[in-house]
Amino acid sequence: MELSVIEYVEVENFRSIRSAEITEVGDYVPLVGLNSSGKSNVLRALNLFFNGYLDEDRTPLSMTDDFSTHAPKGKKKLVSVTVGLRLNESFKVRGQEDFHGAHGISDLIFIKRMWGLGVDKTATIETLYFGPSMSEMVEATTEHTASVLAHIRAVRFVYIPNHARPADLIRSELAPLQSTLVSRLRSTKAYRESSVDELFDELKAMGERMFGDVSAAVSRGLPGLGIQPDLPVDFADLVFNLGVQASTVGDVARAPEFEGSGVQSLLLLHVLNLADRTHRASGFGWIQASIWAIEEPESFLHAGLRIQFATDLGKYAEDPKRQIFVTTHQDEFVRTSEFAWLTTKDPDTSLQRMPVREALVVSAKAAISTYSHPLFTFASDPIVIVEGAFDDIYLRAAIEQGNLKPRWRLISPKAAFGDDYTGDAIHQYLKYNKQVVASRPDAAPVVVLRDWEAKDSAKYEAVLGVHPYSACFTAPAALSNPALGESFVGIERFLPTDFVTSVVSITTLGRETGAADAPYSIKRPKLEAAKRRLANNAEQGDPVGPFMIGLASWIDTKIGEILSEVPSSAFL
């Protein structure tokens, strides 16, 4: 997995924040907290660091209004934001190799921007610091300032406040793309040969290529809706403002401001991605990465659109050149990450990093967000709960490598229920949550997949019997790798032999009957010790083989058989 652009953040004496830090920053950073707990101040502080102003109105820092009221009295007024930037293949700052070498900077650079009052107590003076670590930062002299600022300017930081009208932001994001489109047009044969008809045909085709992916992404969340560039049709219309029109029925089209706020928000999300790609391609290598800071993206979105928006946002965060910070009160936008930052204010703002499941429980108890029961995950789709710690890793790999298109969702017990719920503990969990299982729609049964050697599917069936179509399956041993014997308990028996022997030395494997062609056997401790390393290889893309793909296909077929028994009315 690629490392994030921002590795570390520290904010001091800014508004509600006396001193707060974010460490181990991931690609997707959800900030959860009550209103006025200081979530947005974190985003504004980052906007101040990267763009030099606080908000979309380009409001400058005011030591009168923005200095923290929680700072110690009697000391000099200083506001600072420190950011640790990760330097790697995805984020290289052009022409700074000598600067890095001279100051011992390799994989990380820490930069602090500090603001204070000048001698006259009216003007705000900024001071820059930099270094390879927090403890080694030094003040940037005139000689160093340009190099330090080059790292900040290599990041395109986009701040999206929750009160801004998305249509206005769409237009501001698209405005720079006009010159890119014209530049591309000038390189075409139609332009060089000055063929007017061909020129405008080429311009139209370019627009379709540029916006095609964006339009498809919008359609996933809003079926029947797409976007297209508002381009000139003749030379009289050649001076134009590039805009987006939401295409609805036939040739009827409307500008974004005529759409609802939710539609505008989804359009903006995908336009941001397009703008990112264009800036990187046309920025002569100066812009290396982008960071989106989005306040409460759930605003104006209905439930289905929230899910699609959160899904798309999570996918965009996987781009190694992008990082996303989000303030939210909605579970969908928290579950996208492995960790969340709980924001509290007592009396000043503090940030606490915690696993997502814990953050959701805490935020539900504090009435920050609504609690969604883990068994209501993917409430409209069948869910398959696997029992082992690594089963979902192998089956997800098998689904991708087998190019399967399942109608069901795979659920890792650890991710859904917590560290303690693997193996037989899942039965206890289901037993105490039978009413939740019973309340799932008929078309969204709960399916438990037991390991091939399990003999207790009947007790799971008894618990799941509260739902007419939920069931327990036992993985069929007949589909496992015949070269691996019964001592290979668990899903690992479905791996290819060479996949196993790449981790487990073949000299430690025995033969079940002693015969040279008998299936391999393994001691239980050896197998347990190898499981994590085997799963790591699968996560890194090693082929999980035909037996694992066969198992995933078998699950798909079994669920298809269940759904064939569900009345059609349940799908309407």
Side-chain angles (χ1 to χ4, degrees):
M1 185 178 69
E2 293 283 351
L3 296 170
S4 305
V5 180
I6 292 179
E7 176 78 10
Y8 174 87
V9 177
E10 182 184 64
V11 181
E12 293 186 308
N13 298 331
F14 177 70
R15 295 195 172 183
S16 64
I17 303 172
R18 164 65 187 94
S19 180
E21 64 177 5
I22 303 178
T23 60
E24 300 179 80
V25 188
D27 296 326
Y28 183 86
V29 185
L31 302 168
V32 189
L34 293 170
N35 290 339
S36 298
S37 62
K39 303 185 301 296
S40 295
N41 285 339
V42 175
L43 304 192
R44 293 190 187 102
L46 286 171
N47 196 38
L48 178 63
F49 179 89
F50 284 103
N51 293 327
Y53 47 81
L54 300 179
D55 51 34
E56 74 280 12
D57 295 325
R58 295 178 175 263
T59 305
L61 178 74
S62 165
M63 295 303 293
T64 301
D65 299 331
D66 300 315
F67 183 73
S68 175
T69 57
H70 307 289
K73 305 300 181 184
K75 291 190 176 182
K76 187 176 181 180
K77 286 188 175 182
L78 294 172
V79 173
S80 70
V81 183
T82 305
V83 171
L85 294 172
R86 173 72 64 179
L87 305 173
N88 56 22
E89 289 300 317
S90 299
F91 185 70
K92 289 183 176 179
V93 183
R94 184 177 177 181
Q96 298 303 319
E97 294 81 6
D98 291 343
F99 172 75
H100 293 160
H103 299 283
I105 295 167
S106 55
D107 59 335
L108 279 171
I109 181 171
F110 287 80
I111 301 173
K112 175 188 283 190
R113 300 186 78 165
M114 179 181 288
W115 297 267
L117 291 175
V119 177
D120 60 0
K121 302 297 182 182
T122 57
T124 301
I125 305 298
E126 180 185 346
T127 308
L128 273 175
Y129 298 84
F130 72 97
S133 69
M134 283 289 288
S135 61
E136 299 175 274
M137 282 195 290
V138 296
E139 184 175 345
T141 64
T142 304
E143 176 188 358
H144 304 135
T145 299
S147 290
V148 175
L149 292 178
H151 291 79
I152 297 174
R153 291 167 182 162
V155 175
R156 188 177 103 91
F157 188 90
V158 183
Y159 173 49
I160 304 174
N162 62 0
H163 56 263
R165 190 172 72 146
D168 294 335
L169 295 175
I170 289 170
R171 295 196 178 282
S172 66
E173 285 294 313
L174 287 172
L177 304 190
Q178 177 179 342
S179 60
T180 301
L181 200 59
V182 172
S183 176
R184 292 179 184 176
L185 181 65
R186 285 174 175 160
S187 67
T188 64
K189 179 180 178 182
Y191 183 89
R192 291 193 302 271
E193 294 180 356
S194 301
S195 172
V196 176
D197 291 338
E198 289 184 20
L199 185 63
F200 283 101
D201 286 344
E202 183 65 29
L203 183 60
K204 180 181 178 181
M206 277 185 184
E208 290 172 351
R209 288 195 296 271
M210 178 178 278
F211 285 86
D213 291 344
V214 184
S215 187
V218 170
S219 297
R220 287 196 295 271
L222 296 163
L225 196 72
I227 67 172
Q228 62 189 47
D230 185 11
L231 298 170
V233 295
D234 54 39
F235 271 115
D237 194 30
L238 191 55
V239 179
F240 65 97
N241 291 318
L242 187 63
V244 170
Q245 295 177 316
S247 304
T248 50
V249 181
D251 294 327
V252 178
R254 296 184 296 186
E257 52 264 35
F258 293 105
E259 299 296 334
S261 297
V263 173
Q264 290 183 29
S265 295
L266 190 69
L267 288 172
L268 174 60
L269 173 66
H270 300 298
V271 165
L272 281 175
N273 182 52
L274 171 63
D276 270 1
R277 299 199 315 261
T278 306
H279 278 287
R280 292 176 197 169
S282 60
F284 303 103
W286 297 115
I287 295 177
Q288 289 291 303
S290 59
I291 296 173
W292 300 350
I294 307 176
E295 287 186 2
E296 299 179 15
E298 64 267 21
S299 300
F300 312 115
L301 302 177
H302 60 255
L305 199 53
R306 277 203 313 268
I307 294 171
Q308 185 63 55
F309 196 111
T311 300
D312 290 344
L313 199 60
K315 289 180 180 176
Y316 284 148
E318 294 173 0
D319 184 334
K321 289 181 175 289
R322 181 184 293 123
Q323 196 169 22
I324 298 175
F325 288 73
V326 171
T327 66
T328 185
H329 299 130
Q330 285 289 339
D331 293 3
E332 294 95 335
F333 292 95
V334 180
R335 292 184 186 277
T336 302
S337 177
E338 292 183 19
F339 292 90
W341 278 258
L342 186 68
T343 308
T344 55
K345 187 180 178 185
D346 185 26
D348 56 321
T349 296
S350 63
L351 301 170
Q352 183 181 359
R353 183 179 185 266
M354 57 180 63
V356 159
R357 183 172 180 274
E358 181 182 346
L360 290 173
V361 172
V362 172
S363 64
K365 289 180 178 177
I368 296 169
S369 64
T370 54
Y371 175 70
S372 179
H373 196 284
L375 285 174
F376 266 127
T377 304
F378 305 115
S380 60
D381 299 320
I383 59 173
V384 175
I385 303 173
V386 294
E387 67 165 285
F390 308 119
D391 294 38
D392 68 311
I393 294 173
Y394 293 122
L395 288 173
R396 288 181 192 279
I399 289 168
E400 284 196 46
Q401 293 168 22
N403 196 30
L404 304 180
K405 307 293 190 300
R407 298 168 60 186
W408 42 277
R409 302 283 189 159
L410 196 61
I411 300 294
S412 159
K414 179 179 178 180
F417 316 132
D419 291 333
D420 297 332
Y421 290 98
T422 55
D424 198 48
I426 297 172
H427 175 262
Q428 289 296 105
Y429 188 91
L430 295 171
K431 181 178 178 181
Y432 290 117
N433 290 276
K434 287 197 294 185
Q435 292 308 310
V436 183
V437 176
S439 64
R440 284 182 64 89
D442 286 353
V446 175
V447 174
V448 174
L449 179 69
R450 297 287 284 153
D451 284 333
W452 64 268
E453 73 274 10
K455 308 294 184 185
D456 57 357
S457 61
K459 72 177 184 180
Y460 283 85
E461 291 281 2
V463 171
L464 295 170
V466 295
H467 186 281
Y469 301 100
S470 291
C472 177
F473 300 151
T474 300
L479 296 181
S480 67
N481 181 356
L484 302 179
E486 294 184 356
S487 58
F488 282 86
V489 294
I491 199 168
E492 286 78 13
R493 195 181 181 190
F494 292 82
L495 291 170
T497 307
D498 58 355
F499 192 105
V500 174
T501 56
S502 69
V503 171
V504 181
S505 173
I506 199 168
T507 60
T508 67
L509 300 177
R511 295 285 185 177
E512 283 198 328
T513 64
D517 59 349
Y520 286 111
S521 64
I522 188 171
K523 299 289 186 182
R524 186 64 175 265
K526 290 279 188 184
L527 178 60
E528 292 299 324
K531 284 189 174 185
R532 175 68 267 182
R533 286 182 293 155
L534 289 168
N536 286 343
N537 289 348
E539 286 182 308
Q540 291 168 10
D542 288 1
V544 293
F547 308 110
M548 195 68 71
I549 293 173
L551 176 60
S553 297
W554 178 83
I555 297 169
D556 195 44
T557 300
K558 296 293 287 185
I559 292 178
E561 292 172 358
I562 289 177
L563 294 180
S564 70
E565 300 296 322
V566 178
S568 299
S569 58
F571 297 91
L572 299 177

